[in-house]
């Protein structure tokens, strides 16, 4: 069965600093991996999706994630944090054939951005 | 274009009562999903509709939960009778196909006292 583990339930960075949110996966087949973001009082929004086409995946709002098979990792990064990035971030892996939307989520990482 | 709409946004009920959550997917989205997040833990899959048919209901916790999607449009999720452990945020999401982008509603916060 596929699973993901997010390291760090809370991460705090200064505005303008690098954002690094960690996600490790476990999968018996080549995984389809996702990052979602949830802003306060909103639904989850897709940031990016890994489909094996390229190991470095660029998403919305300046975020990107790199798939590293040797490390079973799919960490999310952004070079320079903005106050508007404060939100909860979820890593997920598809449990459906072909990368469908039956997703297994991690426990989430709350990102705080400080002045 | 309207997004995925869920109603109510919050519901507070007593143990043993019945609650019905509603989800209106994006128009034209045949695929509708229910997810649940309990007590700040991970978000878990409950079930997947394709039009009015249940494609996968492997995540439904027990027979106190009943999901319907009559006519293949909106969906309801009924909990009867509700238990304390049912408290959490229930998310609905929809997509045009199972592999296309998933759009989430803002969720229903259910509190069972």
């Amino acid at each position: 069965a596929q699973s993901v583990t997010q390291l760090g339930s809370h991460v705090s960075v200064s505005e303008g600093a690098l954002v690094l949110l960690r996600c490790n996966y476990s999968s018996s087949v080549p995984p389809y991996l996702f990052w979602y973001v949830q802003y306060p009082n909103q639904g989850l929004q897709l940031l990016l999706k890994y489909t094996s086409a390229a190991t470095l995946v660029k998403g919305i709002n300046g975020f990107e994630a790199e798939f590293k098979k040797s490390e079973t990792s799919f960490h999310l990064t952004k070079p320079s944090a903005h106050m508007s990035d404060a939100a909860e971030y979820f890593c997920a892996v598809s449990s459906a054939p072909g990368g469908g939307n039956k997703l297994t989520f991690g426990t989430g990482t709350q990102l705080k951005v400080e002045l | 274009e309207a997004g995925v709409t869920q109603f109510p946004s919050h519901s507070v009920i007593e143990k043993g009562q019945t609650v019905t959550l509603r989800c209106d997917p994006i128009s034209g989205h045949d695929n509708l999903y229910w997810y649940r997040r309990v007590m700040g833990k991970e978000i878990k899959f409950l079930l997947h509709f394709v039009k009015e048919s249940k494609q996968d209901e492997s995540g439904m916790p027990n027979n106190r939960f009943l999901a319907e999607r009559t006519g293949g449009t909106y969906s309801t999720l009924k909990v009867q009778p509700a238990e304390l452990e049912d408290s959490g945020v229930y998310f609905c999401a929809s997509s045009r196909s199972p592999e296309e982008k998933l759009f989430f509603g803002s969720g229903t916060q259910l509190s069972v006292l």
Side-chain angles (χ1 to χ4, degrees):
Chain A
Q2 286 84 354
S3 67
V4 290
T5 301
Q6 291 184 243
L7 301 176
S9 58
H10 291 79
V11 170
S12 183
V13 300
S14 298
E15 191 176 34
L18 171 72
V19 175
L20 171 61
L21 304 182
R22 300 178 185 274
C23 174
N24 287 86
Y25 70 90
S26 173
S27 178
S28 56
V29 298
Y32 290 83
L33 295 161
F34 305 76
W35 275 99
Y36 281 84
V37 61
Q38 185 183 20
Y39 299 103
N41 300 316
Q42 295 185 27
L44 280 75
Q45 179 181 355
L46 180 65
L47 274 177
L48 49 83
K49 176 180 180 180
Y50 169 73
T51 62
S52 78
T55 56
L56 184 62
V57 184
K58 294 188 182 299
I60 61 171
N61 301 339
F63 284 93
E64 61 183 33
E66 186 173 9
F67 175 76
K68 292 187 177 180
K69 184 177 180 180
S70 61
E71 299 177 7
T72 62
S73 68
F74 190 58
H75 302 333
L76 182 71
T77 60
K78 182 175 180 178
S80 177
H82 191 272
M83 295 297 289
S84 61
D85 295 325
E88 191 162 20
Y89 292 79
F90 296 91
C91 181
V93 62
S94 174
S95 303
N101 288 320
K102 180 180 181 181
L103 303 177
T104 298
F105 285 89
T107 50
T109 297
Q110 189 72 47
L111 176 66
K112 182 179 180 181
V113 182
E114 299 174 316
L115 288 172
Chain B
E1 178 181 87
V4 177
T5 305
Q6 292 188 244
F7 183 84
S9 58
H10 293 80
S11 180
V12 181
I13 61 173
E14 293 187 354
K15 176 183 173 181
Q17 290 186 322
T18 297
V19 63
T20 300
L21 314 181
R22 173 171 168 144
C23 170
D24 286 75
I26 292 173
S27 178
H29 283 195
D30 288 340
N31 292 267
L32 187 149
Y33 302 78
W34 284 97
Y35 283 85
R36 177 175 76 166
R37 189 181 193 193
V38 174
M39 292 289 289
K41 296 185 178 179
E42 66 270 24
I43 301 168
K44 288 192 173 181
F45 168 84
L46 295 179
L47 86 160
H48 170 205
F49 281 101
V50 178
K51 298 185 180 179
E52 68 275 9
S53 299
K54 293 176 185 175
Q55 182 76 14
D56 182 346
E57 52 182 331
S58 60
M60 294 289 266
N62 51 59
N63 59 11
R64 295 185 294 103
F65 289 76
L66 175 64
E68 295 180 319
R69 194 183 181 195
T70 307
T73 54
Y74 71 91
S75 174
T76 58
L77 180 64
K78 181 193 288 188
V79 185
Q80 179 182 30
E83 298 290 343
L84 299 179
E85 64 264 26
D86 300 332
S87 296
V89 182
Y90 290 76
F91 292 103
C92 176
S94 72
S95 62
R96 198 173 301 276
S97 76
E99 293 79 30
E100 290 184 64
K101 183 178 177 180
L102 194 59
F103 293 84
F104 279 80
S106 55
T108 293
Q109 173 76 58
L110 175 64
S111 298
V112 183
L113 307 179

